[in-house]
Amino acid sequence: MKIRTPFPAVLMLGATSQIAQVLFLRELLMVFHGNELSIGIILAAWLIWVGAGSRLGAALSIRCSNPIGLLYFCTAGILLFLPVTIWLIRGLRSQFAVLPGAYLSLTDITLSAFLVLAPACLLLGILFVLLSRVWRECSGDNDTSAAGKTYLVEAAGNMLGGLAFTFLLVHYLNSFQAAVMGGLLLLAAVLSRPGERGTLFSRTVPRRLLFWALPVVAAVAFPLLEQLNQQAYRMKWRYFTPLHQLVETRQSRHGTIAVLRHQDQYTFFQSGHLLFSTAGPLAPAPGFEKQEAVHFAQLAMVQHPAPRRVLLLGGGLRGLLSEIARHPVEQVDYIELDPELNEIARPYLSAATLAALQDKRVRLLHTDGRLFVKTAQERYDLIIVDLPDPVTAVLNRYYTREFFLEAAALLYPGGVFVIAATSTPDLRGLAVANRNTTVYHTLATVFSRVLVAGERSMMFFATDLPEQISVDAAILSERFQKRGIKVDGFSPQHFYTLLPEVQLRQVNWTVRHHGRSRGAHLAGPPVLPLVLPPVAELEQKEEHLPPVQQRYFINSDFRPIGYYYTLMFWDELTRPGRGEIFRQLQRLQPWWIIPFVLIPLLGATVLRAAAARSGKGRITGFAVLFTAFATGLSAMSLQIAMLFSFQSIYGFVYEMVGLIMAVFMAGLALGTFLTQRYVADKGRLDLLAGSQAAIALLAVFIAVVLPRAAAVQPLAAVPAIFYALTFAAGLTNGLSFPLSAACYLTLNRQAERATGAVYGIELFGACFGAILAGAVVAPVLGIVACSLLAATAALTALAVLLITGRSAECQKENCQQV
């Protein structure tokens, strides 16, 4: 008697797998300071271990006469290793000899991600093949159709898991609770599988008791998991910054907020990234951070002779808002993305900042700053951006040409734009010189006049009315005195201290001359002349200088080179001698892809020639497996392109990553379903070749559409475009897997071996694509290049299939030519 298919177990495998993937991604991003370069590495580690697990599962399935015990064992292992992995992630920094607060290197990120994700991902890969075998035995099939059905239902489960995480779990459960719930639901789905006595899923009394015990286990465990969550956070911050004490944490839709204290100073982090520090309300004197805020605010406010309407993006809670409120302004629009940050910070803010938040002239808006600038109808005299350096793609959005254009459109005639970035004396260091020069040149493409000032922190002043801005201490001091304001610890004489003439000439000469020669991004700024002219003379001579090398010194949403230089700078600053990998990656050229294309083409040609001489047509295996590899690479490259694009425009991938992946998996499920339902003979290379042509066409289409999507009006249509493209990327990938598995089965008559081989090699290709696209191509060559990489991989697979020139069916018929 046939038993019913393991549909619920496969569905929950997909859901649990997606929940685990998003949880691990978010947790690792917090450890890696939100560095999106690590997204590709994390996904690569996930994929390689799941692929290895599928190959291991295929080997175990062949040797195992009854997989039920192994299935139970692996499912229980998932329940154990999901929370254990989260604990290990939070303690990762204890395994590396890094300074408190220092960034982990790319080598450290890669090593830690690959090690910590191994156990859970191996078990997930094994479970896929085991459930595929169970499905095949339940349906009585001898081909790979059961594998296609398993692939389809798992993809549907992935979609459900992504939706559940985005709209439910992230709001109501902590990471440990979400992980345990996913593991319990998977175990319940396996245990509840009905069947006849003596079959793979015979109903036994112990199993029934265990099934009904699961709700009791959850009810007892969940309160304890909250305590475990807090203990894990304390452990994490103890290793991250030993001198600070964790005061509290709060889960927000935009990330986990942590408040740490050192003596009378409070420091705020979100998703592992430093936001700001401030002296506490009971501090006897303002801290150094307060002094920085005062200097920044006063230098910014006097850049406009009479600012009435001011837009402040970030920085208000660290003291800027109270300083701006001292000036005779009429309105200050203060943008702070996360309302939870505002609430958690209030008990630790100074009285002046709390008073400024209650000022009738201040309008506090909780929204994304970039989105506000893009859609606002108001106009401003002064726009001040006080955000952390562009160490992530989210923050890089405020340092790009697209943002500067949007900000310029909000300024009244003669309005002033102010932004700042960390610096070093005389711009010493290749990375910081490249980054700050890039900010300058990018601003100069939008505004007619740009001035820079500052040593530890470089401020950029930009306007289209030249006389508005100045770095002349006498002019700025006079403007300050005319307003008749009193600031503790700041006087008109401070402008002379903050704007020394020699330093102004040095930095203004450097940012104007650097970035104009071939290879400047590798060689660094030219040597300063012995005699430096005044800043006004430097401005006059700038128009006669060679053009800027735009590829390396213009920062944009779709080529975030400023973000790359910032990572390189922090790597140099915190881990001396370990930044060589960044410098080498800067040498990357688009034509380097050519050898990687020629190698498989040459291999296919040689194999075909050898097959022709021997009279054996056994070269299809190479073509099919390479196609599976290319499909995984293309799919992941497109997914990285979509994630980075969404991040660049909207800036909340941390919040929406589950939904984005759910949309991709929905497309994957539909593509697999269409192939399963409507393609009778799947073992044909011409159909497989057609799927690669479809992937290539879609990738080229995405490369063309992505840069234009951000400018689409109305703005509400933009997410729809991104989701549609993400869905289409999943759809084309889903079409390919059943075809590849069926073609490979004609060579290998063991269904589980064929399933494991194709699934594993596809995941390996996705792993390679994640690293290549996420950590190399996107930051150096641009996001569009990720789509072109996907197209290149698909076209190469198509060419390999055409060189092969045979279908899997032909091999069964003495390899007659198709």
Side-chain angles (χ1 to χ4, degrees):
M1 179 179 179
K2 284 190 176 182
I3 58 176
R4 282 156 48 187
T5 59
F7 180 93
V10 177
L11 190 69
M12 279 313 307
L13 173 64
T16 302
S17 177
Q18 190 63 59
I19 291 170
Q21 186 182 64
V22 177
L23 279 175
F24 295 164
L25 183 62
R26 287 162 58 103
E27 290 288 337
L28 284 167
L29 279 174
M30 285 192 282
V31 175
F32 301 152
H33 295 266
N35 175 3
E36 287 91 353
L37 281 184
S38 65
I39 290 179
I41 297 172
I42 296 166
L43 292 176
W46 174 278
L47 293 163
I48 196 68
W49 285 121
V50 174
S54 71
R55 296 304 297 267
L56 179 59
L60 292 174
S61 180
I62 292 171
R63 292 169 173 77
C64 184
S65 59
N66 189 337
I68 187 61
L70 183 59
L71 187 64
Y72 287 162
F73 176 81
C74 291
T75 306
I78 289 293
L79 178 58
L80 171 65
F81 278 110
L82 292 187
V84 167
T85 301
I86 294 173
W87 179 274
L88 292 175
I89 289 172
R90 293 191 185 174
L92 267 177
R93 290 184 64 92
S94 65
Q95 305 304 311
F96 298 96
V98 293
L99 295 173
Y103 282 43
L104 295 178
S105 68
L106 283 181
T107 304
D108 296 339
I109 289 172
T110 303
L111 179 63
S112 55
F114 271 79
L115 289 178
V116 78
L117 296 182
C121 292
L122 280 171
L123 292 174
L124 290 170
I126 293 172
L127 280 173
F128 176 85
V129 178
L130 290 179
L131 288 172
S132 176
R133 173 186 170 176
V134 170
W135 201 315
R136 180 178 61 81
E137 294 183 353
C138 289
S139 59
D141 298 324
N142 292 318
D143 55 16
T144 58
S145 59
K149 295 171 185 175
T150 306
Y151 192 80
L152 165 63
V153 176
E154 188 201 31
N158 286 147
M159 178 189 68
L160 293 176
L163 294 174
F165 185 88
T166 301
F167 297 111
L168 293 174
L169 302 184
V170 74
H171 299 289
Y172 300 108
L173 300 180
N174 63 48
S175 295
F176 286 94
Q177 291 170 339
V180 170
M181 172 168 281
L184 287 173
L185 289 175
L186 176 59
L187 184 58
V190 171
L191 292 174
S192 65
R193 173 71 179 81
E196 300 298 325
R197 186 172 298 279
T199 65
L200 292 177
F201 284 92
S202 59
R203 185 179 293 278
T204 61
V205 173
R207 200 188 72 192
R208 286 200 302 269
L209 291 175
L210 182 58
F211 172 75
W212 290 110
L214 292 182
V216 178
V217 172
V220 173
F222 269 47
L224 298 177
L225 290 174
E226 177 57 34
Q227 299 179 21
L228 182 65
N229 183 56
Q230 293 302 319
Q231 185 177 353
Y233 274 132
R234 287 191 291 271
M235 174 187 67
K236 170 189 170 182
W237 290 108
R238 185 170 65 250
Y239 292 131
F240 184 84
T241 173
L243 297 179
H244 288 71
Q245 177 186 356
L246 180 64
V247 178
E248 64 176 303
T249 61
R250 185 177 298 182
Q251 186 68 35
S252 160
R253 60 195 290 251
H254 300 290
T256 302
I257 302 170
V259 184
L260 290 95
R261 183 181 66 197
H262 177 60
Q263 296 178 353
D264 295 316
Q265 179 196 64
Y266 289 88
T267 303
F268 295 80
F269 291 83
Q270 189 164 43
S271 300
H273 184 71
L274 174 65
L275 296 178
F276 64 92
S277 295
T278 182
L282 301 179
F288 184 64
E289 292 77 16
K290 175 65 175 179
Q291 294 175 350
E292 282 192 322
V294 171
H295 296 166
F296 181 89
Q298 301 308 329
L299 279 171
M301 290 301 294
V302 295
Q303 290 302 317
H304 193 287
R308 292 291 179 259
R309 293 175 55 85
V310 179
L311 173 62
L312 173 62
L313 302 184
L317 299 181
R318 80 176 181 107
L320 255 68
L321 188 62
S322 59
E323 295 303 313
I324 293 172
R326 298 179 189 274
H327 291 255
V329 296
E330 296 175 357
Q331 180 176 329
V332 180
D333 285 346
Y334 168 40
I335 310 299
E336 189 64 67
L337 172 64
D338 197 344
E340 292 289 343
L341 176 63
N342 185 56
E343 290 303 315
I344 199 174
R346 280 182 180 272
Y348 312 106
L349 298 178
S350 66
T353 299
L354 291 173
L357 288 170
Q358 301 300 319
D359 194 314
K360 293 181 179 180
R361 297 171 299 167
V362 174
R363 183 171 64 152
L364 174 61
L365 300 171
H366 293 298
T367 183
D368 178 69
R370 180 72 185 269
L371 187 62
F372 177 85
V373 170
K374 188 187 289 285
T375 59
Q377 301 299 316
E378 293 88 347
R379 303 289 292 276
Y380 299 94
D381 298 299
L382 185 61
I383 296 177
I384 302 174
V385 180
D386 184 42
L387 294 168
D389 284 358
V391 292
T392 67
V394 174
L395 293 168
N396 188 71
R397 304 157 61 231
Y398 297 96
Y399 294 81
T400 64
R401 186 173 187 273
E402 291 85 349
F403 172 68
F404 295 156
L405 285 167
E406 293 161 0
L410 292 187
L411 290 170
Y412 284 120
V416 177
F417 178 85
V418 180
I419 196 169
T422 303
S423 191
T424 58
D426 305 330
L427 286 175
R428 294 172 194 158
L430 175 64
V432 71
N434 285 352
R435 198 276 308 281
N436 288 0
T437 298
T438 296
V439 176
Y440 170 81
H441 287 313
T442 305
L443 278 167
T445 65
V446 176
F447 295 95
S448 61
R449 191 184 189 202
V450 181
L451 293 173
V452 300
E455 185 173 69
R456 186 173 179 266
S457 178
M458 178 172 283
M459 297 182 67
F460 301 82
F461 313 118
T463 185
D464 284 327
L465 189 63
E467 59 268 24
Q468 292 290 79
I469 62 176
S470 176
V471 289
D472 188 321
I475 294 175
L476 301 181
S477 178
E478 182 182 358
R479 289 180 181 178
F480 182 82
Q481 292 182 72
K482 284 182 178 180
R483 296 178 191 177
I485 62 175
K486 300 296 182 181
V487 180
D488 293 337
F490 191 89
S491 70
Q493 297 304 314
H494 275 82
F495 290 104
Y496 293 91
T497 303
L498 296 173
L499 301 171
E501 180 65 24
V502 173
Q503 197 268 343
L504 285 173
R505 295 187 184 190
Q506 289 175 339
V507 295
N508 277 276
W509 188 94
T510 299
V511 296
R512 283 167 168 78
H513 285 78
H514 185 36
R516 298 181 183 274
S517 61
R518 186 178 179 87
H521 64 293
L522 298 172
V527 178
L528 291 167
L530 293 177
V531 178
L532 286 167
V535 174
E537 186 176 334
L538 290 173
E539 292 183 86
Q540 293 174 0
K541 293 181 177 180
E542 185 174 7
E543 62 183 31
H544 303 295
L545 296 175
V548 175
Q549 298 291 312
Q550 295 202 9
R551 175 179 168 187
Y552 298 105
F553 291 95
I554 300 297
N555 192 32
S556 71
D557 285 342
F558 289 90
R559 183 173 285 170
I561 192 66
Y563 157 48
Y564 182 82
Y565 289 146
T566 305
L567 292 177
M568 182 177 174
F569 167 54
W570 283 105
D571 199 57
E572 290 179 350
L573 191 65
T574 59
R575 297 174 65 83
R578 298 290 295 274
E580 184 61 29
I581 186 171
F582 285 102
R583 288 188 286 273
Q584 293 302 321
L585 288 177
Q586 286 187 88
R587 302 179 185 274
L588 182 67
Q589 298 294 330
W591 62 264
W592 287 10
I593 193 67
I594 294 176
F596 295 96
V597 172
L598 293 179
I599 290 173
L601 296 180
L602 180 62
T605 303
V606 171
L607 287 174
R608 176 165 184 170
R613 287 195 301 270
S614 64
K616 297 179 180 180
R618 303 290 293 179
I619 64 172
T620 307
F622 169 79
V624 171
L625 290 180
F626 179 78
T627 301
F629 174 86
T631 299
L633 192 155
S634 299
M636 187 50 62
S637 297
L638 290 177
Q639 197 168 2
I640 291 290
M642 302 308 300
L643 283 171
F644 271 59
S645 299
F646 201 91
Q647 185 87 313
S648 294
I649 296 174
Y650 286 95
F652 47 83
V653 159
Y654 183 89
E655 175 193 358
M656 301 300 292
V657 64
L659 180 59
I660 294 170
M661 291 183 173
V663 171
F664 180 86
M665 298 311 298
L668 189 77
L670 179 61
T672 305
F673 171 77
L674 293 175
T675 304
Q676 289 288 116
R677 181 69 179 270
Y678 296 107
V679 180
D681 186 5
K682 303 178 185 65
R684 294 169 50 190
L685 290 189
D686 55 345
L687 293 178
L688 189 58
S691 71
Q692 296 305 301
I695 292 173
L697 288 174
L698 175 65
V700 172
F701 178 76
I702 290 176
V704 173
V705 169
L706 273 185
R708 295 165 175 78
V712 169
Q713 294 295 334
L715 194 61
V718 178
I721 295 173
F722 274 95
Y723 289 134
L725 294 176
T726 302
F727 181 85
L731 177 69
T732 54
N733 186 60
L735 292 171
S736 182
F737 176 79
L739 300 176
S740 298
C743 288
Y744 197 68
L745 183 63
T746 63
L747 300 176
N748 190 320
R749 297 299 178 179
Q750 293 177 312
E752 279 70 47
R753 188 183 294 276
T755 300
V758 173
Y759 188 63
I761 199 70
E762 182 179 296
L763 290 177
F764 180 72
C767 165
F768 187 74
I771 292 178
L772 191 60
V776 179
V777 175
V780 179
L781 299 180
I783 297 172
V784 171
C786 293
S787 297
L788 297 179
L789 173 65
T792 302
L795 289 173
T796 304
L798 174 61
V800 168
L801 290 170
L802 293 176
I803 291 172
T804 299
R806 305 168 187 274
S807 71
E809 184 64 30
C810 285
Q811 291 194 4
K812 293 189 289 185
E813 299 176 0
N814 300 320
C815 299
Q816 297 176 357
Q817 190 70 27
V818 177

